[in-house]
Amino acid sequence: EYGLDDLLNRLTLSGYSRCGMVEGPGQFAVRGGILDVYSPAASMPIRAEFFGDELDAMGQFDLRKCPLFRWMCTLFPEDRVREVWKMYNATADSQGLACFWFADSEGRIAFDKRVKYREDGHRDKSFGGTREYRTVDGFTARPYFGAHLVKDGDEVRICESEKSAMLYTLATSKVMLATGGKNNLKDV
């Protein structure tokens, strides 16, 4: 039994490289208490979810568990949908919730937002949404979803929902930021 910090050290010593988002074998990524590891011996990455140093859940990292991802794949090619989810730092948890990771312009993760979607791509209003991981100590920024994709001089488009931002990018190949809720639109 190992704590999360000890596991990270062991992965590094074993030759794995730490990255923002797991893309291939030999990599690992950490966001809050979520650890994604892609073993060279596996066909897909493994996701381990920790509560403190206690392992809470573990399973294969598979976006297809998320109804929103599956729905988007009915509209656009799956490879393109995967590319946009990766670009926006969107993932799925072990229960199939869409996990939107809000990162600042430097790519630092501020917090996550988990949303339950139905098979038709609409949000399941019976589930109010949740956050598992909060802003790290000393980091008080409230970035827009997708802020890490904007460079100086870029034209900026802003909408309310993360889903709308990703759909816009899928349809136009242009970046759109999301406020993450109508209450945040007042800051625009």
Side-chain angles (χ1 to χ4, degrees):
E1 185 172 312
Y2 303 106
L4 180 57
D5 289 336
D6 192 32
L7 278 175
L8 300 180
N9 288 334
R10 288 175 180 268
L11 285 167
T12 302
L13 291 172
S14 297
Y16 283 79
S17 59
R18 188 173 183 158
C19 57
M21 191 89 142
V22 169
E23 296 178 25
Q27 296 179 331
F28 73 96
V30 182
R31 288 178 303 282
I34 292 180
L35 169 64
D36 294 334
V37 179
Y38 202 144
S39 167
S43 61
M44 295 182 92
I46 298 293
R47 168 162 290 165
E49 297 183 33
F50 287 84
F51 184 74
D53 274 345
E54 183 179 321
L55 181 62
D56 194 37
M58 190 163 84
Q60 279 196 320
F61 177 78
D62 187 0
L63 288 174
R64 288 171 288 182
K65 289 182 179 181
C66 179
L68 178 63
F69 178 81
R70 291 193 304 270
W71 175 76
M72 286 181 171
C73 289
T74 67
L75 304 173
F76 301 94
E78 183 173 336
D79 288 347
R80 177 68 177 137
V81 175
R82 283 187 183 281
E83 180 184 321
V84 168
W85 277 60
K86 178 182 160 194
M87 166 180 167
Y88 275 96
N89 293 329
T91 61
D93 71 7
S94 58
Q95 294 143 6
L97 298 177
C99 300
F100 302 116
W101 296 90
F102 285 69
D104 68 3
S105 60
E106 296 174 28
R108 296 177 298 177
I109 300 293
F111 58 87
D112 69 326
K113 178 180 173 186
R114 293 164 188 251
V115 180
K116 185 176 183 181
Y117 286 91
R118 301 184 319 227
E119 291 298 327
D120 63 2
H122 291 280
R123 189 173 178 167
D124 183 341
K125 298 289 184 173
S126 69
F127 180 83
T130 185
R131 288 193 178 129
E132 293 279 325
Y133 305 101
R134 304 228 182 250
T135 305
V136 294
D137 291 339
F139 183 54
T140 58
R142 171 136 174 88
Y144 292 129
F145 179 69
H148 64 288
L149 301 172
V150 177
K151 307 297 180 236
D152 285 340
D154 283 355
E155 184 177 315
V156 177
R157 298 155 197 86
I158 299 177
C159 66
E160 177 190 343
S161 83
E162 301 85 1
K163 178 181 94 172
S164 295
M166 292 194 307
L167 284 170
Y168 182 82
T169 300
L170 282 164
T172 67
S173 296
K174 296 178 182 175
V175 172
M176 179 176 277
L177 304 182
T179 64
K182 64 183 174 188
N183 292 334
N184 299 326
L185 282 171
K186 65 179 180 250
D187 295 335
V188 177

